Amino acid sequence: MSVFSWPARVYWEDTDGGAIVYYANYLRFLERSRTEWLRAHGHSQLELAREPGILFTVVSIQVDYRAPARLDDELEITCEPRAQGSASVRFTQRIYRKGQGAAAPAGLLLEAQVRVACVDARSWKPRRLPQFVLDAVTAAEAAHG
């Protein structure tokens, strides 16, 4: 699985007073997509916090907003993991609008670089990435050449 893709829809709660997605809510879509990427690899964040006792925390993010998402838009959020040392992963993430006619044409809405660190659930100190994450990153990198 090289590029993970997760569908979403824009609801009222995601928007500002003008039915446009509020800028900070894009980060929620990105977070949910990374969570679903983990789930697609057979792991939930809750289970990982319990055993082996790890959490993933965002340590840096760069976001480029290209176009606004609007109420009722259908979105596609992607995750592309890349190695970033022994305790972190960098995700290239994009949010696309699926085409819905002239009023909401398909296209790239946002691109982000998100660095996520693996930390111990008790001490919050960095921990090595689990093998399944390393395997998923290696597979994604191999698919991109």
Side-chain angles (χ1 to χ4, degrees), residues 2-78:
S2 57
V3 177
F4 175 80
S5 183
W6 178 71
R9 182 179 294 277
V10 176
Y11 297 102
W12 273 115
E13 66 198 36
D14 302 315
T15 66
D16 61 12
I20 301 289
V21 171
Y22 182 66
Y23 77 97
N25 287 339
Y26 289 97
L27 302 181
R28 293 174 196 236
F29 288 125
L30 297 177
E31 176 71 31
R32 291 172 188 162
S33 180
R34 289 190 309 276
T35 296
E36 294 303 326
W37 175 82
L38 273 174
R39 201 179 311 275
H41 286 87
H43 302 277
S44 79
Q45 293 201 47
L46 182 59
E47 291 170 359
L48 292 171
R50 290 180 182 148
E51 183 60 40
I54 59 171
L55 301 170
F56 295 100
T57 184
V58 172
V59 293
S60 68
I61 187 166
Q62 177 189 341
V63 179
D64 293 319
Y65 297 94
R66 311 276 176 156
R70 297 177 177 90
L71 180 64
D72 286 335
D73 279 354
E74 290 182 60
L75 307 176
E76 200 69 34
I77 301 98
T78 64

